[in-house]
Amino acid sequence: MKNKFSLRRAVNNMNLVRFRFWFQIAAFAFIVYGGYIGLDLGNKLPTFACVYNAEGTGGKCYVGMLQHDLKHPIDVFMGYAGYAFLISLVMFMVWFWVLNKGWCGFVCPLGTMQDWLTMLREKTKIRFSEYSWANRGKIKSIKYILLFLLLLLPVMIANSVFGIPKLPNGLSMPFCDICPGRMMIPAFTGDFNQFYIDFSSKTDIVMTTIGMIMTGLFLAGSFIKKRFFCYFCPMAALQYIFSKPALLKLYKDGSKCTRCGDCYRACDMDILEIADDVTTKNMVTEDCTLCLKCVAACPEEGCLEANFMGATIFESTKEGFVLRMAMDQRGEKHAH
Amino acid sequence: MHTELTIETPHQRQNRHKAMEAISVLNALKEDFKSPIRSMGYFYDLFEKVYCRHEPLHEGKAKIGTMCIQIPSEIIYALEGIPIRLCNGFYTDDEIGSDLLPQKSCPLVKATVGWFASDNFSDKPDITFSPTTCDQKTKAGAIIGSFGHTVIDVGFPRTKESEESRHYWRESVKSFAVKLSKFQGKKLTKSNLESAIKKVGYAQSLYHKLTEFRKAKAVPILGVDMFLVTNAFFFDKIDEWIGAVEKLLAELEQRVNDGVNVAGKASPRIVYTGSPPIFPNYKIPLIIEESDAIIVADETCSSNRMFNDMVAVDEWNLYDMIDSVSDKYLKACTCPIFTQNDDRIRRIIQLVHTYKGDGVIYQAFAGCQVYEMEQRSVLAAMEREGIPILYIESDYSPSQHGQLTTRVEAFVESLKNRKRMKK
């Protein structure tokens, strides 16, 4: 029989929901307030650690940096600015490779906020919404379109592309303008200054208005749909491009899968492949947030696992499943 | 002593015949094998009580009949009903049903229809829910209804990959829950469904622990005993079943420590699949284990398929629990009625690997079309994997015992040879 007190067993039997809840709180505190105690991971983090969060951050979002890096005339970009861009990108990749998409499921403050809203909804007993499979397929591409725009628009400020006139300077941070993180994250430090519509130029009016609408959608959307915003997140798109060599992995052993769909039911991002695909090993898909809820919800021994540099760190077990679902004891006698 | 002579009524005759069938199987289980398990006594007694003495188990309670395993027992327990699964294994009932159904029908369906036709139950179902699984079960529901029983169809899809099927089945289960709730005059609530899910989940977890023991080199429990344990779940009081399995687990743990092996050292390990062995039709499983092989795992709806997959709930609210329960009974199901059967093939292969099976025995009832039709694809898949497989067609009649024994023994012998060659 297995050793009753082994560490591996304790980890596999853990209550992932509770672990993740506290981990997310810690990560949130670190990202939002870390600077107050002198912690700073720089401004190339692969997660929404908002640059508008004026002081006290424990690190800043790379998407902000990325837009900034691209706002150079082409000849400057071919010189020193290009090097700066490459160095930033490499730093982003290195950070990302450590946790892979786990940045989304465990660190991202915007993701965490959505999970809090989900908890709030759960308390109110309001049913969550799901996208139909067909619609899910359609909205998948939106995040790539957003990514493309946030890369292109800053370039077009300093350069004329295809003869189109140069764009106004107000578009230098096009994604940040519409990102709900810009308003939501500083709010946690008591800074509500981002909730405004900037009337200084037409571009600013448009962008800040979209920003306000996006924040409203973010709050309402993630109340009804789990991880509503993540479907559209260009950071997720950017991350996925570099996901293959990352160190943290979600592996599936298809031969052990019964396609019971328990993992799919647990998945906040409704990723169907996790349940239905029995041939692919690496299950980190573009929408995956590596929250590992699927691993916790899988009743098959060793079918799903979180793997760090080739070592299994958390895997599905029958015992763990039964404990997490509280099916390990008789329960109350029924009053027949 | 003076005994009054009376003429036996048809019901008494039917019961006597059924008792004879039942007792011969129970005696075989009790006496034909070495190292019997003490705590199996509970199950032998249970079956004797219900099928030999025809004593009711659930007097005064609402008995909810179900055909097939797709009607969620969680919801029935939550609404304080007793689920009684009506799949029948008696040749006596099969013969009665033969007059009412085409000759080539499946014996399980004929036996179930025959049972209803004779209206002779120890625990008569007050209402029956019939999932529209295979053609024969679907039609049987209507035929049984025509005898004056309340039978309600629960629409079951035949493709399980599509989103439409999932929605359709979820709606079916909801409507089943509403109908049952009306019938019972009880409300399905978050708390009663949650505790039912956890109770059935606990029962399942015990089954999983039992199967763990069967992975070992020295197998402490016979396959036929396992079938009896899982068949008991069809009609037993769940709390007593749980208690009995807990005791059985404790005894098996002891047996493992003592190194007890119910089979021989060289006995081939068999994975059993196909039409479900339902008490007392243990014809093939008994022949297998009497031929010095041991059934270490199965892929049938009377055992492994019924217990294997568990309900996972993400948000413990009523709507999510019902959806989770629905999904479990559709998505995980490996019934051959579905259009695609890759899941079933993968499952058999996986069982062979996990339980270190030496071969597969695939049994189909004559007339059980879907299992018969799938035979080829399963055989081809096993051939690709290099797993020996024997396909047998049988029914409930006691007639071909000799012929079947010869075939099974030959297969078991060939597996033994194969094992020796490997060494």
Side-chain angles (χ1 to χ4, degrees), chain A residues 121 127 226 259 262 265, chain B residues 170 314-315 320 323 343:
Chain A
R121 175 189 47 73
R127 203 203 192 306
K226 297 176 202 171
R259 300 214 295 173
D262 283 357
R265 284 204 55 74
Chain B
R170 283 180 177 180
D314 191 33
E315 292 182 16
D320 200 34
D323 284 355
D343 288 356

Side-chain angles (χ1 to χ4, degrees), chain B residues 196-408:
Chain B
I197 289 176
K198 286 179 176 167
K199 174 163 286 188
V200 174
Y202 178 62
Q204 281 180 294
S205 78
L206 294 180
Y207 169 80
H208 282 288
K209 282 184 187 159
L210 281 177
T211 61
E212 281 302 307
F213 290 118
R214 304 168 84 191
K215 290 179 185 165
K217 231 181 183 162
V219 186
I221 184 168
L222 287 167
V224 276
D225 277 340
M226 282 298 293
F227 282 127
L228 201 70
V229 171
T230 53
N231 277 195
F233 197 76
F234 286 14
F235 58 88
D236 198 6
K237 293 173 178 155
I238 185 166
D239 288 314
E240 298 195 2
W241 187 92
I242 285 173
V245 176
E246 280 171 342
K247 284 200 190 97
L248 180 59
L249 277 167
E251 191 178 343
L252 291 190
E253 180 103 55
Q254 188 55 47
R255 282 162 82 93
V256 167
N257 293 338
D258 300 345
V260 178
N261 190 352
V262 292
K265 261 191 181 151
S267 303
R269 301 164 68 93
I270 302 292
V271 171
Y272 188 97
T273 185
S275 304
I278 293 178
F279 184 84
N281 176 46
Y282 286 179
K283 218 158 89 172
I284 308 291
L286 271 172
I287 291 175
I288 294 170
E289 300 204 318
E290 283 172 344
S291 311
D292 193 27
I294 172 99
I295 299 171
V296 287
D298 72 279
E299 198 285 316
T300 66
C301 50
S302 56
S303 180
N304 190 308
R305 190 182 305 151
M306 175 167 72
F307 274 116
N308 182 65
D309 296 285
M310 301 206 252
V311 175
V313 184
D314 191 33
E315 292 182 16
W316 290 90
N317 288 323
L318 193 56
Y319 55 83
D320 200 34
M321 282 191 267
I322 294 181
D323 284 355
S324 303
V325 168
S326 313
D327 282 9
K328 183 252 154 173
Y329 285 94
L330 173 69
K331 300 301 280 186
C333 188
T334 47
C335 184
I337 54 146
F338 290 115
T339 50
Q340 303 297 323
N341 285 120
D342 310 339
D343 288 356
R344 180 161 173 253
I345 291 171
R346 270 187 319 108
R347 178 117 185 88
I348 298 169
I349 294 170
Q350 204 241 327
L351 287 172
V352 170
H353 292 321
T354 340
Y355 292 85
K356 299 175 197 77
D358 296 306
V360 175
I361 292 184
Y362 187 138
Q363 188 247 190
F365 295 148
C368 179
Q369 266 202 344
V370 280
Y371 275 113
E372 289 177 321
M373 289 180 91
E374 240 186 55
Q375 181 244 123
R376 278 175 173 278
S377 65
V378 174
L379 257 56
M382 294 306 130
E383 197 160 315
R384 275 198 301 277
E385 293 287 316
I387 300 166
I389 181 166
L390 172 69
Y391 174 66
I392 302 177
E393 206 183 273
S394 79
D395 55 23
Y396 284 6
S397 85
S399 59
Q400 318 132 316
H401 195 267
Q403 196 234 49
L404 289 169
T405 308
T406 309
R407 293 191 59 201
V408 171

Side-chain angles (χ1 to χ4, degrees), chain A residues 1-2 4 17 118-119 121-128 130-135 224 226 252-268 272 275-279 293 296-301 317-319 321-322 324-336, chain B residues 61 77-78 80-82 160-164 166-167 170 174 190 192 195-199 201-205 208-209 211-213 215 238-240 242-244 246 253 308-317 319-321 323-325 327-328 331-334 340 342-343 346-347 350 355:
Chain A
M1 283 264 126
K2 283 171 258 173
K4 281 194 167 170
V17 173
T118 296
M119 273 175 229
R121 175 189 47 73
E122 218 176 315
K123 288 258 177 323
T124 61
K125 298 195 172 87
I126 296 171
R127 203 203 192 306
F128 55 81
E130 283 167 301
Y131 294 119
S132 74
W133 294 352
N135 288 339
I224 329 171
K226 297 176 202 171
K252 175 171 175 177
D253 181 347
S255 69
K256 292 175 177 166
C257 175
T258 64
R259 300 214 295 173
C260 68
D262 283 357
C263 51
Y264 170 70
R265 284 204 55 74
C267 181
D268 290 347
L272 192 61
D276 279 6
D277 188 341
V278 289
T279 48
K293 278 175 77 181
C298 175
E300 292 303 321
E301 208 76 31
T317 58
K318 272 177 189 163
E319 192 185 22
F321 174 89
V322 166
R324 282 184 285 267
M325 291 290 155
M327 288 170 179
D328 56 326
Q329 49 216 336
R330 270 170 179 244
E332 264 111 57
K333 289 248 175 194
H334 282 269
H336 284 308
Chain B
K61 285 164 194 164
Y77 282 124
E80 294 180 18
I82 309 288
K160 62 172 181 173
E161 283 77 13
S162 73
E163 192 176 20
E164 291 82 1
R166 180 204 289 272
H167 282 300
R170 283 180 177 180
K174 270 175 216 156
K190 175 183 166 348
N192 64 26
S195 73
I197 289 176
K198 286 179 176 167
K199 174 163 286 188
Y202 178 62
Q204 281 180 294
S205 78
H208 282 288
K209 282 184 187 159
T211 61
E212 281 302 307
F213 290 118
K215 290 179 185 165
I238 185 166
D239 288 314
E240 298 195 2
I242 285 173
E246 280 171 342
E253 180 103 55
N308 182 65
D309 296 285
M310 301 206 252
V311 175
V313 184
D314 191 33
E315 292 182 16
W316 290 90
N317 288 323
Y319 55 83
D320 200 34
M321 282 191 267
D323 284 355
S324 303
V325 168
D327 282 9
K328 183 252 154 173
K331 300 301 280 186
C333 188
T334 47
Q340 303 297 323
D342 310 339
D343 288 356
R346 270 187 319 108
R347 178 117 185 88
Q350 204 241 327
Y355 292 85

Side-chain angles (χ1 to χ4, degrees), chain A residues 117 121 213-225 228:
Chain A
L117 284 165
R121 175 189 47 73
I213 294 169
M214 288 297 285
T215 306
L217 281 176
F218 168 81
L219 291 170
S222 50
F223 186 76
I224 329 171
K225 171 77 192 81
F228 166 80

